[in-house]
Amino acid sequence: MPTPVHAEVSRSVPVPLAQAYEAVLAAPLPEIFSRRFGPLPPIREVRDQAGDWGVSGIGQTRTIVTADRGTMLEELTVLEPPARFGYTLSRITGPMKLLVDHVDGMWSFATAGTGTRVTWAWTFHPAHGAARLVLPGLARMWRGYARQGLEELEAALV
């Protein structure tokens, strides 16, 4: 199996740890990730989500639909309030399917002064050996997409 590629971005926000965790977990994805970054499309909708995200616990799933008509099944894999929550994106369709088999995502939260340091990380698992050659470029673009998303999250939090 080809080696995964890891990328992460952090940002400090002026809200308490528990508030940041709860807000990010419940964030409306199409509002927070509404802008394209290079070839990475915005999120257009979330389907098949039963109840509030995270309330049903580990194993809860939903389908994320992007503007390029791609889809990803998101499954919660870690819930450790207020420190972190994680998920796996699988059953990827659309252009990203050519490069990525699945993604392991993690949101982490740590007290930083009077606020919270929020870190968002993705580990890209290549769809095949040749994809490993271009995934570092995709990871660089994802960092820009993630920075943009964290800016939107901060604006929604304060």
Side-chain angles (χ1 to χ4, degrees), residues 1-3 98-99 125-136:
M1 186 70 176
T3 306
L98 301 173
L99 301 174
H125 295 268
H128 47 79
R132 177 67 174 91
L133 301 173
V134 296
L135 280 186

Side-chain angles (χ1 to χ4, degrees), residues 131-153:
R132 177 67 174 91
L133 301 173
V134 296
L135 280 186
L138 179 61
R140 277 191 297 283
M141 287 183 269
W142 179 85
R143 284 184 193 97
Y145 182 81
R147 277 191 293 280
Q148 186 173 275
L150 285 171
E151 289 170 8
E152 294 293 330
L153 279 168

